[in-house]
Amino acid sequence: QDQGAIALQLAVCAMVLLEILALGAGGAAAAAAVKWKDVTKPFIEKQIAALVCKLGPNFLGGSKCELEQVCLELGGLTTIALVGLKVFNLPPFSDGELMKLDRVEVVLDVKGTVKDKLKEVKLPSFKLEGCHLCWEKSVTSSNIKELQNKMQHEEAQEEADTKKDKKEKKVALGKVVVTGVKVRVAANLSEGVSTTGSELPVPDIKIDNFEEKYGSVTPVKLIQVLITDVLKGATTAVTSFTATLAQGAGSAVAAVEGKAEEAVAHTGSWFSSWFS
């Protein structure tokens, strides 16, 4: 490809990515402020990283976000990889990490999205590889439950806003794969029962065609659905672990692994509850 073609490809990718990631929160202004002659791959990666850290709390109940790296593979099908994404606890819990995502990889159909005039964002696939959660318990709740409650409130608000604004962008998502999710308990579970922090397995999520099964959703809704179901799986794992310890089982972690394998068959019902 000549330099002109490469520059055009970069400009188009930057425009689409900035428009999508901003999600109406100053996105048009951000895109308009870009000097296209200065657009480079590192520039786009830097802009994506900044937007993820800035806008992430809007999707995650106000939780602070940090991101180690963004990796791009540009083209008609552009791959965006977020490496080392950290989500921190909400008050009143410790200011440490609630979860760290090793790698989140999204494939964006730039040509298809542009052809559709950005009315619908086309994502052939979403993959999450490795998610490490730290579960903290208070007297009446947990850090995971606190985040779930805040996200449910935001989801209700987002749905109300969407009804007012019929032009809200939708995401057409294809394959979804979430693997390597584990939760570590960092608290006394009950009186006389504690853990040293073993990592418990959480069921994988695998859906061949998300749009075909659940339809198009807004970007905010999509993020909330995926994260919430990971959190639900983590809560189930901790609950099983607690019950097994209370019963005096010899290997609580092994027992939870068995529960996780059983839960995989029911993963679809988690998503169905969001779209019923």
Side-chain angles (χ1 to χ4, degrees):
Q1 293 180 320
D2 59 33
Q3 290 185 344
I6 293 174
L8 178 60
Q9 183 184 79
L10 283 169
V12 170
C13 286
M15 177 184 70
V16 173
L17 293 171
L18 290 174
E19 176 77 11
I20 292 167
L21 289 170
L23 302 176
V34 173
K35 296 180 180 179
W36 299 115
K37 64 183 178 64
D38 297 330
V39 171
T40 62
K41 182 178 173 182
F43 169 84
I44 301 174
E45 291 174 339
K46 184 177 179 180
Q47 292 297 311
I48 292 174
L51 282 170
V52 169
C53 293
K54 179 181 180 180
L55 300 176
N58 296 343
F59 312 141
L60 298 171
S63 299
K64 183 181 77 170
C65 298
E66 292 182 359
L67 182 62
E68 293 177 5
Q69 185 180 9
V70 175
C71 300
L72 284 181
E73 293 180 14
L74 296 169
L77 289 177
T78 291
T79 300
I80 311 157
L82 309 181
V83 180
L85 177 60
K86 299 176 182 178
V87 178
F88 291 83
N89 283 320
L90 293 166
F93 298 91
S94 72
D95 58 3
E97 296 171 18
L98 184 152
M99 64 178 164
K100 179 178 179 181
L101 310 180
D102 292 342
R103 184 180 180 88
V104 179
E105 187 175 290
V106 179
V107 176
L108 167 64
D109 183 353
V110 175
K111 289 183 178 179
T113 300
V114 171
K115 185 177 180 181
D116 197 36
K117 298 180 181 180
L118 302 182
K119 293 178 181 178
E120 186 176 68
V121 181
K122 301 185 184 301
L123 303 179
S125 70
F126 173 95
K127 184 188 299 182
L128 191 164
E129 297 176 330
C131 174
H132 308 276
L133 295 114
C134 184
W135 189 84
E136 292 184 20
K137 182 172 171 34
S138 67
V139 176
T140 59
S141 186
S142 71
N143 59 340
I144 288 178
K145 184 64 176 175
E146 183 70 19
L147 177 55
Q148 285 179 297
N149 289 341
K150 290 291 180 66
M151 288 176 65
Q152 286 174 359
H153 175 75
E154 289 181 352
E155 184 221 350
Q157 183 62 51
E158 195 265 342
E159 285 187 351
D161 292 342
T162 299
K163 290 179 181 179
K164 295 178 183 178
D165 184 6
K166 301 296 183 180
K167 296 180 180 180
E168 179 75 19
K169 287 182 178 61
K170 293 292 185 74
V171 173
L173 179 60
K175 189 174 184 178
V176 174
V177 177
V178 179
T179 60
V181 181
K182 293 184 181 294
V183 56
R184 179 172 56 84
V185 179
N188 290 330
L189 300 176
S190 60
E191 185 176 353
V193 178
S194 62
T195 176
T196 57
S198 299
E199 283 199 321
L200 312 174
V202 176
D204 293 344
I205 298 173
K206 295 181 181 179
I207 301 174
D208 291 331
N209 191 317
F210 188 95
E211 182 190 21
E212 186 177 280
K213 195 166 186 178
Y214 303 110
S216 299
V217 295
T218 63
V220 175
K221 177 93 170 182
L222 178 61
I223 293 169
Q224 291 173 336
V225 167
L226 294 173
I227 294 297
T228 295
D229 282 299
V230 169
L231 298 178
K232 284 183 179 179
T235 301
T236 299
V238 171
T239 301
S240 297
F241 185 73
T242 307
T244 306
L245 280 177
Q247 292 170 5
S251 178
V253 174
V256 173
E257 287 175 347
K259 291 289 185 182
E261 290 176 0
E262 292 176 11
V264 171
H266 302 289
T267 300
S269 63
W270 298 350
F271 284 98
S272 297
S273 65
W274 284 79
F275 301 98
S276 58

